[in-house]
């Protein structure tokens, strides 16, 4: 029975997250304003390049975006952070993957949320960043929240972590010291800056079926099945979801049941909620030293009689049947969720995508041909769903390679 439940959850995760331009070098490096590499950062339930039997999160059935950009002269890398983890934990993992070293979630943060302070160790994709290099981050969905938090921690550090380290005489990660400005630009694609009301559907579902617990149980079971992590790695080591050498299954599952992860707000689910996103927006602010670009997506139409929004033909089947109808009809005056929140891309409300608004002092400006630092350059809305924009679902009318190549050209034109 448990195996069936686990398979159901994994299938659901897969379903949600289930034309080229001329080749050759796009332009000479000498003609660019910067040569900063590009880093791709996935969203909720995303995966790395070596997972999912090689099926790429960035490109899917349409190809391999990282390889395509590299072939066209734009040095590009892909990060693989916790698919279910909080933005704080993901930002710490992204930092370690970029510069190298052991993931340090922060002594104060770890003590507050009841998980391990240290995680995995990485060789570093771009260790030169520690010596003054720059990087562009292109982020999809939750990845946009994670990228914003990473920039904030790099530049401002964490006062809580600094005070805790001093009071308890423990080491402090360079990430929490502040004063680092190696992110030249952040591009967010279909990001729920103000949260997604899809979390409210999950909350409603939990009255009958504890989805969060089922997902975490699936992660725990999968972490202990040989070779499973090569297919899909939940990367939840900090929560102790991996069975220890010599530990009996009975003891392991008893330990799991006592884990604070079940009730924690240190998870993606909380950060993606409207209230969780608003809390993040209150302290994660746009840096005056960084360019911010936001791309929005939508794949619904407004019903003339009801005023609700319905999925267009061609939307991902699971999103069209399960998610979009809820997003397109859910209103909650108490939370300030009104008709503006109904248009969506099957996973995220479109109104949430052009930049942080709830609890935020960030400025959002329409793109006028000149990208500006320190504000959100609203790059417009594309008629594609949440998965088509990264190529996981096919859309013959959307040239995904041309989209990412144009974006790379724009980023290369930015003056540091």
């Amino acid at each position: 029975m448990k195996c069936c439940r686990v398979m159901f959850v994994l299938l659901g995760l897969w379903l949600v997250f289930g034309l080229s331009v001329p080749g050759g070098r796009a332009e000479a490096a000498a003609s660019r304003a910067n040569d900063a590499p590009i880093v791709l950062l996935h969203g909720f339930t995303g995966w790395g390049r070596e997972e999912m039997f090689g099926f790429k999160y960035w490109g899917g059935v349409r190809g391999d975006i990282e390889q395509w950009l590299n072939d066209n002269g734009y040095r590009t890398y892909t990060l693989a952070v916790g698919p279910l983890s909080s933005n704080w934990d993901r930002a710490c993992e992204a930092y370690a993957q970029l510069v190298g070293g052991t993931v340090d979630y922060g002594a104060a943060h770890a003590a507050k949320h009841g998980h391990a302070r240290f995680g995995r160790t990485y060789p570093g994709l771009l260790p030169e960043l520690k010596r003054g290099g720059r990087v562009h981050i292109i982020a999809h969905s939750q990845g946009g929240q994670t990228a914003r938090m990473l920039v904030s921690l790099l530049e401002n550090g964490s006062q809580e972590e600094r005070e805790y380290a001093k009071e308890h005489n423990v080491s402090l990660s360079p990430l929490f010291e502040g004063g680092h400005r190696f992110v030249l630009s952040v591009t967010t694609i279909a990001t729920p800056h103000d949260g997604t009301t899809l979390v409210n559907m999950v909350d409603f579902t939990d009255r009958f079926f504890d989805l969060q617990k089922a997902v975490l149980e699936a992660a725990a079971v999968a972490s202990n099945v040989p070779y499973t992590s090569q297919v899909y790695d939940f990367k939840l080591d900090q929560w102790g979801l991996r069975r220890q050498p010599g530990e009996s299954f009975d003891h392991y599952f008893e330990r799991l049941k006592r884990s604070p992860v079940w009730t924690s707000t240190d998870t993606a689910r909380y950060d993606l909620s409207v209230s969780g996103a608003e809390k993040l927006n209150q302290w994660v602010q746009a840096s005056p030293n960084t360019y911010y670009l936001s791309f929005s997506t939508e794949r619904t139409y407004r019903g003339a009689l009801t005023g609700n929004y319905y999925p267009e033909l061609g939307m991902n089947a699971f999103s069209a049947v399960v998610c979009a109808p809820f997003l397109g009809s859910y209103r909650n005056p108490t939370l300030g969720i009104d008709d503006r929140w109904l248009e969506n891309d099957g996973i995220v409300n479109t109104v949430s995508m052009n930049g942080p608004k709830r609890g935020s002092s960030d400025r959002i400006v329409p793109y006028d041909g000149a990208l500006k630092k320190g504000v959100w350059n609203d790059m417009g809305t594309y008629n594609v769903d949440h998965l088509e924009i990264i190529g996981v679902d096919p859309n013959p009318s959307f040239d995904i390679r041309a989209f990412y190549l144009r974006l790379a050209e724009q980023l290369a034109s930015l003056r540091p």
Side-chain angles (χ1 to χ4, degrees), residues 306-319:
T306 65
N308 294 338
Y309 278 71
Y310 302 93
E312 294 179 357
L313 290 176
M315 178 184 282
N316 168 267
F318 182 84
S319 297

Side-chain angles (χ1 to χ4, degrees), residues 1-325:
M1 193 59 145
K2 182 178 287 289
C3 289
C4 293
R5 191 180 188 192
V6 169
M7 291 304 296
F8 171 79
V9 172
L10 291 174
L11 178 61
L13 289 172
W14 166 250
L15 289 172
V16 172
F17 295 99
L19 302 168
S20 66
V21 298
R25 298 291 175 180
E27 57 179 301
S31 67
R32 302 175 186 176
N34 73 82
D35 61 355
I38 293 171
V39 171
L40 305 175
L41 180 55
H42 67 73
F44 178 69
T45 74
W47 57 92
R49 289 179 61 77
E50 307 306 319
E51 300 173 57
M52 299 296 278
F53 302 102
F55 182 81
K56 301 297 186 287
Y57 181 93
W58 292 95
V61 297
R62 307 306 301 276
D64 183 343
I65 297 303
E66 178 189 306
Q67 188 62 54
W68 169 250
L69 293 180
N70 275 306
D71 289 346
N72 280 271
Y74 297 96
R75 190 158 53 113
T76 305
Y77 303 89
T78 300
L79 298 178
V81 295
L84 309 179
S85 297
S86 67
N87 285 303
W88 178 286
D89 288 1
R90 287 160 57 98
C92 296
E93 292 164 2
Y95 174 74
Q97 290 179 29
L98 284 171
V99 304
T102 299
V103 178
D104 186 343
Y105 298 107
H109 179 84
K112 179 180 179 180
H113 293 285
H115 66 58
R117 175 182 173 182
F118 297 105
R120 302 182 186 182
T121 300
Y122 298 94
L125 295 171
L126 298 165
E128 64 268 25
L129 293 177
K130 292 187 290 187
R131 301 188 295 273
R134 306 299 295 274
V135 67
H136 300 290
I137 300 178
I138 299 177
H140 175 246
S141 196
Q142 186 192 358
Q145 288 182 316
T146 304
R148 288 169 50 207
M149 183 173 288
L150 176 60
V151 173
S152 181
L153 289 173
L154 283 169
E155 294 208 359
N156 306 311
S158 168
Q159 184 64 24
E160 183 180 17
E161 290 295 338
R162 289 192 291 264
E163 292 176 352
Y164 189 96
K166 184 177 180 180
E167 179 182 350
H168 294 83
N169 194 30
V170 295
S171 60
L172 180 70
S173 167
L175 177 60
F176 306 129
E177 294 174 350
H180 308 289
R181 297 178 178 175
F182 62 62
V183 179
L184 180 55
S185 75
V186 169
T187 299
T188 66
I189 300 172
T191 289
H193 291 289
D194 289 335
T196 171
T197 56
L198 192 62
V199 175
N200 297 84
M201 185 188 80
V202 174
D203 290 341
F204 177 79
T205 304
D206 273 357
R207 299 178 186 178
F208 310 98
F209 178 70
D210 193 338
L211 182 60
Q212 174 172 270
K213 188 171 183 180
V215 169
L216 292 170
E217 283 180 351
V221 172
S223 296
N224 292 280
V225 177
Y227 309 112
T228 300
S229 63
Q230 298 176 21
V231 179
Y232 190 86
D233 187 349
F234 286 90
K235 305 176 185 71
L236 287 167
D237 304 20
Q238 71 271 35
W239 292 104
L241 295 187
R242 188 177 297 277
R243 186 183 174 201
Q244 301 302 313
E247 184 177 24
S248 70
F249 272 109
D250 287 343
H251 185 272
Y252 170 62
F253 280 109
E254 283 300 315
R255 181 166 58 82
L256 279 184
K257 287 192 292 186
R258 297 192 301 271
S259 172
V261 68
W262 309 118
T263 57
S264 178
T265 57
D266 190 34
T267 61
R269 173 175 171 172
Y270 176 74
D271 284 352
L272 292 170
S273 69
V274 173
S275 57
E278 183 171 359
K279 185 174 181 180
L280 182 150
N281 292 345
Q282 290 170 356
W283 69 274
V284 176
Q285 300 176 351
S287 164
N289 306 298
T290 302
Y291 294 93
Y292 294 87
L293 295 72
S294 61
F295 290 86
S296 302
T297 53
E298 61 81 24
R299 201 75 152 90
T300 53
Y301 67 92
R302 185 178 183 274
L305 297 179
T306 65
N308 294 338
Y309 278 71
Y310 302 93
E312 294 179 357
L313 290 176
M315 178 184 282
N316 168 267
F318 182 84
S319 297
V321 173
V322 177
C323 306

